[in-house]
Amino acid sequence: MDFTPTEDQAAARDLAARIFGDLSTHDRLSAAGTGTDAALWKALCSAGLVAAVTDVGLLGLVLLLEEQGRTTAQVPFAASCVYGLLAVAAHGSPEQRERLLPGIGDGSVVVSGALPAQGGVRAGARGGLSGTAPVVPWLRDATHVLVADDRRRLWLVRTADARCEPVELTAPWSAGRLTLDGTPAERLGGDHDGAGHERAGHDRSDHDRIDHVYADVVATARTAFAGLQAGVCAGSLARAVAHTNTREQFGRPLAAKQAVQLRAADAYMDTEAIRLTAYEAAWRRDEGLPYAAQALTAAWWASEAGQRVVHTGQHLHGGAGADLEHPVHRHFLWGRQLDAYLGCGSEVLQELGELIAYGEVET
């Protein structure tokens, strides 16, 4: 394994760090409230960073999302890249790739995901989808949603054809409730007749492909959001280190106290574990190797260790950590949201255990 960034990946990461650092400031985040920073999103797309993900791969995306997480930038970068760019590029039909990828790359098409499948959405016999996805991150910004039905088939739905109601989450992710009532949809991969119907008999003979596509998209999402969590934790820890080095108690910096050093050291090790496991899962996908177990491992570390790190960041800031005027509280909110998104630690650990128990872990 070699996680050393390529020249293109390093260049994209450095550009992302500069844009996020310049534009995702405390004042701009405060002004945005719980909504998206439209100007920042436009800057990222204009710089070609969304379109570049097709070239830099999942590992490159993880590097970019680390930079977003450091500043808790409020843009649908992870969602549109995972559920849009990578999903369509890997599993879309040639027609879908030609039609959708340019718009996703330039930001005119934004895709979110109603995943994982929870049995709340069904495809009707006469076509169209019905059901409800209670919480879809970045739904308020999305033009399309990748929806998993009760049989783990993936469908692309235009938000203009569905009912979308705002929902507030722990983190400011512009989320919404998606309600479908015979809503037109197209299968990812194009296995439909244009009105939501599948070709006769096709769905009954292709369960393996359906499961593979669904599993790949979910594993990709878990890996990407683990990378985002690594950045959130790194940002929280950096703020805590700066605070404890300048804040004095009894004439000495808080950082001089052994208890503070130990908390910070544990948070650093947890952050590195999240980063390393996300890198491994992403690298394996880019290399065409099985990575389901590695994605679950990264998701477990992002959930379990992530919430420890952001709690440490709050604790080491003392009373300032609870002040909404202080930027560190955003890392806490994002870390807690990412802790539960796509499955909390115990859920992904159960999935990983089942993979191992049933001998489905490939090397």
Side-chain angles (χ1 to χ4, degrees):
M1 292 181 289
D2 183 3
F3 305 147
T4 304
T6 65
E7 184 177 340
D8 288 344
Q9 288 171 339
R13 177 198 60 198
D14 294 345
L15 177 58
R18 187 159 63 249
I19 294 174
F20 284 126
D22 289 344
L23 297 183
S24 186
T25 62
H26 176 57
D27 289 341
R28 287 176 64 95
L29 288 169
S30 298
T34 62
T36 294
D37 187 333
L40 173 56
W41 178 241
K42 182 178 180 180
L44 292 168
C45 295
S46 298
L49 286 174
V50 177
V53 172
T54 55
D55 297 320
V56 300
L58 184 54
L59 180 55
L61 176 59
V62 166
L63 294 171
L64 298 177
L65 292 177
E66 277 192 78
E67 301 307 324
Q68 179 186 1
R70 291 179 200 276
T71 61
T72 60
Q74 292 173 198
V75 288
F77 195 54
S80 203
C81 287
V82 169
Y83 302 122
L85 202 74
L86 293 179
V88 173
H91 305 295
S93 68
E95 187 277 332
Q96 287 173 333
R97 293 196 292 270
E98 182 179 0
R99 171 165 48 91
L100 294 171
L101 290 180
I104 297 172
D106 66 24
S108 60
V109 174
V110 177
V111 185
S112 188
L115 280 83
Q118 298 177 358
V121 176
R122 288 180 169 81
R126 297 183 180 180
L129 299 180
S130 296
T132 301
V135 177
V136 180
W138 307 109
L139 182 64
R140 284 176 256 169
D141 301 315
T143 59
H144 295 71
V145 184
L146 188 64
V147 179
D149 68 13
D150 59 327
R151 297 170 61 185
R152 294 190 170 190
R153 296 169 299 184
L154 297 181
W155 306 80
L156 283 164
V157 175
R158 294 194 319 137
T159 53
D161 296 329
R163 191 171 75 210
C164 305
E165 303 165 277
V167 172
E168 296 299 339
L169 302 181
T170 301
W173 284 5
S174 296
R177 176 187 178 91
L178 179 70
T179 302
L180 307 169
D181 185 9
T183 304
E186 59 176 310
R187 275 283 298 278
L188 182 65
D191 296 326
H192 64 104
D193 65 3
H197 295 81
E198 294 180 81
R199 290 201 296 262
H202 185 79
D203 58 324
R204 291 177 174 81
S205 63
D206 211 10
H207 290 302
D208 288 345
R209 185 186 68 84
I210 292 170
D211 287 343
H212 166 73
V213 171
Y214 174 82
D216 180 61
V217 172
V218 172
T220 299
R222 282 173 166 159
T223 303
F225 281 95
L228 184 60
Q229 181 76 300
V232 169
C233 291
S236 175
L237 182 58
R239 293 186 184 280
V241 169
H243 177 79
T244 55
N245 273 293
T246 56
R247 178 75 170 179
E248 291 190 356
Q249 188 179 66
F250 305 116
R252 299 178 62 197
L254 290 174
K257 299 182 181 296
Q258 189 177 44
V260 172
Q261 295 171 7
L262 292 174
R263 287 293 302 272
D266 286 343
Y268 174 80
M269 294 303 295
D270 274 338
T271 301
E272 289 302 296
I274 300 169
R275 176 181 290 118
L276 179 63
T277 52
Y279 284 4
E280 180 183 8
W283 176 84
R284 289 181 66 91
R285 183 188 188 274
D286 290 344
E287 293 295 313
L289 299 171
Y291 74 110
Q294 287 76 16
L296 286 167
T297 302
W300 183 85
W301 275 102
S303 176
E304 294 290 309
Q307 57 90 12
R308 288 198 297 267
V309 174
V310 296
H311 275 266
T312 294
Q314 291 290 99
H315 188 188
L316 294 182
H317 275 82
D323 184 358
L324 296 182
E325 295 301 315
H326 196 289
V328 77
H329 83 277
R330 296 190 183 91
H331 295 271
F332 180 81
L333 297 179
W334 279 65
R336 293 301 302 176
Q337 188 70 57
L338 286 163
D339 168 26
Y341 186 53
L342 298 177
C344 67
S346 59
E347 291 173 329
V348 297
L349 191 61
Q350 180 178 345
E351 286 187 46
L352 180 59
E354 290 171 352
L355 279 181
I356 296 171
Y358 298 137
E360 297 178 9
V361 176
E362 301 178 64
T363 59

